[in-house]
Amino acid sequence: MRAVGLHRDVLVVTSRIWQTTCTVVREGVECFVIDSPVLPDELEMLPAVLEHAGFHFSGLLATHADWDHLLARLAFPGAPLGVAETTAARLASEPGAATRELRAFDDEHYVVRASPLSLGQMQALPVPGHCEIGDAEIELHPADGHTADGMAAWIPWAATLVCGDYLSPVEIPMISEGGSRAAYLATLRRLAPLVDAAEHVVPGHGEVLDGARAAAILREDVAYLEALPEGDLPIARRSAAQRAIHARNVASVQAVS
Ligand SMILES: [Zn+2]
């Protein structure tokens, strides 16, 4: 696990699995953890990372309902968890899905955890909207299309965008069940002005980007999606794993047309 400070109030922790990112943001005496690392040792270390940085933990946020972004609950069992209304609806419509998918991942990779994932109480946040933290606000923007749900978080005082599973330097756009090309493109258009204003962009998977690099990935991703089912993969994202995602995207787009 890697931890990088982007700003005096923003830390990003990156998991060894899928380079999944977890962003820690502070304002005054409050601190939120957005998304999560994946492996048990990484989750165990998370409270100590916050403590070492002098951040006083207040609560959890998750960008969307995919299980690999929901695991901070294991590190902070009693904490409030804020999600977009769309994410709360998706979690309610597929009860236990995240727990089952985590168990399947752990079985496949022989990962042992002290306890199963139980998401417990959640707070559904109106999106677009904002989330108060200390004397400031984190802006919440709708981010669907990868899945049916989701939000991106804009941290104005750090000019940092935490966008969930968009703008990844390691993963092509993934149109999962519930997602769509049209919604994905609409989200990228919505994120574009934030990317232009951003000093840092934290994708759900992969290293933190500066605004210019994120804008370049955004242009590549728009071109890739608009060309589907034709076209080729972005040049830096053409591994066998990315080609498998591409094949599922092609099937998804052809099912719609
Ligand atoms: Zn993800």
Side-chain angles (χ1 to χ4, degrees):
M1 182 170 81
R2 198 168 63 222
V4 179
L6 302 186
H7 177 274
R8 62 184 289 273
D9 290 330
V10 183
L11 282 175
V12 174
V13 163
T14 306
S15 178
R16 303 197 299 282
I17 293 291
W18 301 317
Q19 298 187 43
T20 309
T21 62
C22 169
T23 305
V24 187
V25 52
R26 161 180 75 171
E27 214 294 318
V29 295
E30 286 200 285
C31 155
F32 286 102
V33 171
I34 309 174
D35 291 352
S36 61
V38 174
L39 296 172
D41 61 317
E42 298 171 336
L43 289 159
E44 255 163 53
M45 271 160 63
L46 203 50
V49 169
L50 267 61
E51 207 169 304
H52 185 74
F55 289 15
H56 301 290
F57 174 75
S58 321
L60 304 171
L61 296 171
T63 57
H64 63 297
D66 283 354
W67 68 268
D68 52 321
H69 300 265
L70 295 173
L71 305 180
R73 164 60 76 232
L74 292 167
F76 300 99
L81 166 62
V83 296
E85 282 172 339
T86 51
T87 295
R90 182 179 151 202
L91 288 166
S93 76
E94 45 181 47
T99 304
R100 281 194 302 279
E101 285 162 27
L102 171 62
R103 199 181 304 128
F105 171 89
D106 287 349
D107 284 350
E108 186 182 344
H109 299 282
Y110 311 156
V111 174
V112 178
R113 292 183 201 265
S115 55
L117 175 66
S118 169
L119 287 175
Q121 284 289 71
M122 255 166 296
Q123 195 186 343
L125 305 169
V127 178
H130 48 254
C131 167
E132 281 180 27
I133 173 169
D135 292 326
E137 284 176 348
I138 298 173
E139 288 177 23
L140 307 176
H141 298 267
D144 56 324
H146 161 56
T147 54
D149 66 305
M151 65 181 182
W154 171 248
I155 306 161
W157 67 96
T160 298
L161 177 66
V162 181
C163 56
D165 281 0
Y166 300 87
L167 305 176
S168 170
V170 294
E171 190 172 87
I172 62 167
M174 189 195 291
I175 305 169
S176 299
E177 201 189 324
S180 75
R181 164 165 58 182
Y184 203 118
L185 283 165
T187 288
L188 291 180
R189 279 192 288 273
R190 216 177 294 121
L191 295 180
L194 296 170
V195 168
D196 287 340
E199 212 152 300
H200 308 287
V201 174
V202 187
H205 302 275
E207 63 186 309
V208 178
L209 309 166
D210 62 28
R213 177 134 184 255
I217 289 172
L218 192 147
R219 286 191 297 272
E220 277 186 0
D221 287 356
V222 168
Y224 166 77
L225 288 163
E226 284 179 341
L228 275 177
E230 309 298 329
D232 209 347
L233 281 71
I235 203 148
R237 292 173 280 169
R238 286 185 181 169
S239 65
Q242 299 310 301
R243 290 190 186 281
I245 295 171
H246 175 64
R248 293 197 294 275
N249 289 340
V250 167
S252 161
V253 168
Q254 284 171 339
V256 173
S257 59

